[in-house]
Amino acid sequence: MISYSSFSKIAVSIAIALTTLLATNNVCAQSETGAEQLRQFVRNSKSAEGDFVQQQLRAPKANESQDKGLKVVRETRGHFVFQRPGRFVWDTQKPFEQKLITDGKQLILWDKDLNQATFRPAGQALATTPAAILFGETSLDQNFDLVEGDERLGMKWVALVPKKNPNTKNDPPYTKISVGMSNGLPKALELIDGFGSVVLVTLDKVALNVSLPANRFTFTPPAGAEVLRLN
């Protein structure tokens, strides 16, 4: 079972690709660079929902075949919902059921197997992640340098390099964040940490600017559940 810390860091970082909508048509979007597509995507979105597949990858070990590339060590599938600013649900459905929910004020992890809900302040949990600015109202370029990457897997990739902030005490959890753009939409997100671990997320069936009920980002633990509150 993935820990609260690692699950929440991955999920809130993934939210970078789930915060916006491109306003131009697909033909124009495809002719633009990855960075231009991402900027428009961030600037114009309000809400969205869709499906995701999240894979944790590693390089082959010394005693394994070296010609098959990165090896999948964990795969999860589920559904996401977001609404700017600061609200999202990252609902993992397979192989186990976990939900990460935030209403912008508190971050909640619900683990069905453990029958446990963990609450913590959203500001503290999101402060060192890309989600902190993408769910807010600040400029993408104010917090990141956007570096054009190559074209692969039918996508234009752009790397987001965090700018140095003397007011930030903690380093970002990932050393490299890349978004794969196609037709003005994020199709994949690649996260690499300081240990070389890679998380690849692909998005599908994305519905943009959807109407969401006010209670979509609230969660009440069921009777009998263990509730932990962290400061």
Side-chain angles (χ1 to χ4, degrees), residues 138-156:
T138 55
S139 167
L140 183 68
D141 291 282
Q142 181 179 333
N143 295 275
F144 296 93
D145 290 318
L146 274 59
V147 181
E148 293 291 343
D150 55 0
E151 292 191 34
R152 52 188 170 92
L153 304 176
M155 293 173 279
K156 294 182 178 180

Side-chain angles (χ1 to χ4, degrees), residues 22-211:
L22 181 69
T24 58
N25 61 61
N26 285 351
V27 175
C28 292
Q30 194 61 8
S31 66
E32 294 175 333
T33 67
E36 290 169 340
Q37 291 185 52
L38 182 59
R39 287 188 179 98
Q40 291 205 51
F41 185 75
V42 168
R43 186 164 53 243
N44 297 309
S45 77
K46 303 299 179 184
S47 63
E49 63 179 321
D51 296 333
F52 69 84
V53 176
Q54 178 178 316
Q55 296 176 316
Q56 186 170 344
L57 312 172
R58 65 164 174 81
K61 297 180 180 178
N63 61 345
E64 296 175 336
S65 173
Q66 302 295 307
D67 59 358
K68 294 184 178 180
L70 296 176
K71 180 180 178 62
V72 178
V73 295
R74 179 185 291 119
E75 180 175 292
T76 59
R77 295 172 179 267
H79 190 79
F80 70 85
V81 181
F82 79 81
Q83 186 176 63
R84 297 185 71 195
R87 291 178 284 184
F88 69 89
V89 177
W90 192 257
D91 186 358
T92 299
Q93 299 165 353
K94 294 180 180 180
F96 50 81
E97 294 187 39
Q98 284 186 328
K99 292 180 186 291
L100 187 70
I101 307 161
T102 181
D103 59 3
K105 297 180 180 179
Q106 60 182 353
L107 189 68
I108 307 163
L109 174 64
W110 165 245
D111 190 309
K112 183 177 181 180
D113 289 346
L114 296 178
N115 195 28
Q116 182 184 84
T118 305
F119 292 73
R120 68 188 305 176
Q124 175 185 345
L126 299 175
T128 60
T129 71
I133 61 104
L134 291 173
F135 282 125
E137 300 299 330
T138 55
S139 167
L140 183 68
D141 291 282
Q142 181 179 333
N143 295 275
F144 296 93
D145 290 318
L146 274 59
V147 181
E148 293 291 343
D150 55 0
E151 292 191 34
R152 52 188 170 92
L153 304 176
M155 293 173 279
K156 294 182 178 180
W157 288 82
V158 53
L160 280 74
V161 181
K163 293 183 177 179
K164 296 294 184 181
N165 185 348
N167 297 321
T168 300
K169 296 181 180 179
N170 299 320
D171 292 329
Y174 295 97
T175 58
K176 184 176 180 181
I177 304 165
S178 299
V179 180
M181 302 294 298
S182 178
N183 290 325
L185 294 174
K187 298 295 185 181
L189 179 66
E190 188 177 72
L191 309 168
I192 303 176
D193 65 19
F195 301 98
S197 177
V198 179
V199 174
L200 177 65
V201 180
T202 54
L203 308 177
D204 191 24
K205 299 179 182 177
V206 179
L208 301 165
N209 278 353
V210 293
S211 178

Side-chain angles (χ1 to χ4, degrees), residues 83 87 103 211-218:
Q83 186 176 63
R87 291 178 284 184
D103 59 3
S211 178
L212 299 169
N215 64 353
R216 187 66 177 85
F217 304 95
T218 61

